[in-house]
Amino acid sequence: MEKVRLSKLMSQQGLCSRREADGYIERGWVFVDGERITELGTKIYPAQKIKLNNTAQAQQQGQVTILLNKPIGYVSGQPEPGYQPAISLIRRESRFPGDQAAQHFSPLHLKGLAPAGRLDIDSSGLLVFTQDGRIARQLIGAESRVDKEYLVRVQGMLSKHALGLLNHGLSLDGEELKHAEVSWQNQDQLRFILREGKKRQIRRMCELVGLKVTGLKRIRIGKVKLGDLPAGEWRYLRHGEVF
């Protein structure tokens, strides 16, 4: 059995992100089989036991995850000319009054807060921001199994065969898409459940079967639903609430 870089194993085991792992190692917060590890690049056997000290665990518990109902016209990540980043909506005054989390807002909650996934500028709905590398990896890591649900308003005719292709049989960027769940929500709106997230995937899938998307809203990520969160407002992920 070959040794593997410690930070990689920590990420694979869901302890933290690889970047966070390097920071914990440098601070001496990581133990392998009871021995403190402080050297970056250290390799260990996958069967060895990794543990974070109390300081690292407390820091993780203090990290926040925020759910935003992104309106159309805001970009998920880096700002673009003429458009504002969605994170600019996360302010004390735009917090959802119905937020049941006991967490008090602090400007420190914006430090290191990053989108875990993207939502196109012309799409709306549930967008997750987190300081926690474990959650980011769960939602957007290469091995993520968290599904996402969308309501998609379309124009055009859709045959049963084309509907079948939306569920499975289309390719983008030279790669076959994973199985999806696509069905009619009403006469002009489709319901998509995806387990991957290629750039503008739903719009491109619809184009391939002759449909034009006129509206797209994400309403669920894993077990977490958008619910009654108003557009432009946000709330904290509650204790015990998981994706």
Side-chain angles (χ1 to χ4, degrees):
M1 186 180 294
E2 294 185 1
K3 288 186 174 181
V4 180
R5 192 181 177 103
L6 174 57
S7 58
K8 181 178 181 179
L9 279 175
M10 291 171 66
S11 174
Q12 290 177 344
Q13 293 178 17
L15 293 172
C16 57
S17 70
R18 292 186 70 166
R19 182 177 179 181
E20 288 171 332
D22 285 339
Y24 293 163
I25 292 168
E26 285 184 314
R27 293 176 177 87
W29 294 353
V30 181
F31 291 80
V32 175
D33 290 341
E35 179 184 351
R36 187 191 303 270
I37 304 296
T38 59
E39 184 178 346
L40 292 178
T42 296
K43 293 185 176 182
I44 67 170
Y45 292 109
Q48 291 183 268
K49 186 176 181 180
I50 306 170
K51 185 176 180 180
L52 301 180
N53 74 357
N54 292 338
T55 305
Q57 293 179 33
Q59 185 179 93
Q60 287 185 330
Q61 290 172 3
Q63 293 171 327
V64 301
T65 296
I66 285 174
L67 312 175
L68 170 72
N69 186 347
K70 186 190 87 67
I72 293 172
Y74 287 82
V75 294
S76 300
Q78 295 298 320
E80 298 177 11
Y83 297 100
Q84 287 186 290
I87 196 171
S88 66
L89 293 168
I90 303 175
R91 307 183 300 270
R92 189 187 306 275
E93 58 270 23
S94 58
R95 183 178 180 181
F96 177 41
D99 189 354
Q100 298 176 13
Q103 187 80 51
H104 293 288
F105 178 75
S106 167
L108 291 176
H109 294 165
L110 299 176
K111 185 178 181 180
L113 192 69
R118 59 175 175 260
L119 199 56
D120 297 334
I121 193 168
D122 44 4
S123 300
S124 64
L126 184 57
L127 182 62
V128 177
F129 288 85
T130 188
Q131 295 175 323
D132 193 332
R134 297 170 299 175
I135 288 180
R137 183 176 181 274
Q138 180 188 9
L139 298 185
I140 60 177
E143 299 177 358
S144 175
R145 297 293 182 269
V146 177
D147 61 7
K148 302 171 181 67
E149 183 176 353
Y150 304 81
L151 293 180
V152 184
R153 198 169 298 279
V154 295
Q155 291 179 344
M157 301 295 294
L158 184 67
S159 67
K160 288 184 178 180
H161 174 67
L163 180 61
L165 288 176
L166 287 174
N167 279 271
H168 189 239
L170 297 178
S171 297
L172 291 176
D173 305 323
E175 294 182 3
E176 186 177 284
L177 296 175
K178 295 179 181 178
H179 282 267
E181 295 178 34
V182 184
S183 59
W184 284 107
Q185 181 75 8
N186 53 50
Q187 62 182 4
D188 65 350
Q189 195 171 51
L190 289 167
R191 173 176 169 268
F192 276 72
I193 298 178
L194 302 181
R195 292 170 182 83
E196 60 187 332
K198 292 184 179 294
K199 187 174 182 179
R200 299 182 71 82
Q201 179 172 337
I202 291 177
R203 296 176 189 276
R204 295 164 68 196
M205 289 172 69
C206 287
E207 288 174 2
L208 289 175
V209 296
L211 294 177
K212 179 182 179 181
V213 173
T214 60
L216 191 156
K217 184 176 185 178
R218 183 158 61 204
I219 61 170
R220 179 178 62 81
I221 298 177
K223 299 176 183 177
V224 176
K225 297 180 180 180
L226 180 64
D228 58 356
L229 185 63
E233 296 188 13
W234 61 271
R235 70 173 179 86
Y236 288 105
L237 184 73
R238 296 185 294 272
H239 179 71
E241 192 176 19
V242 295
F243 292 99

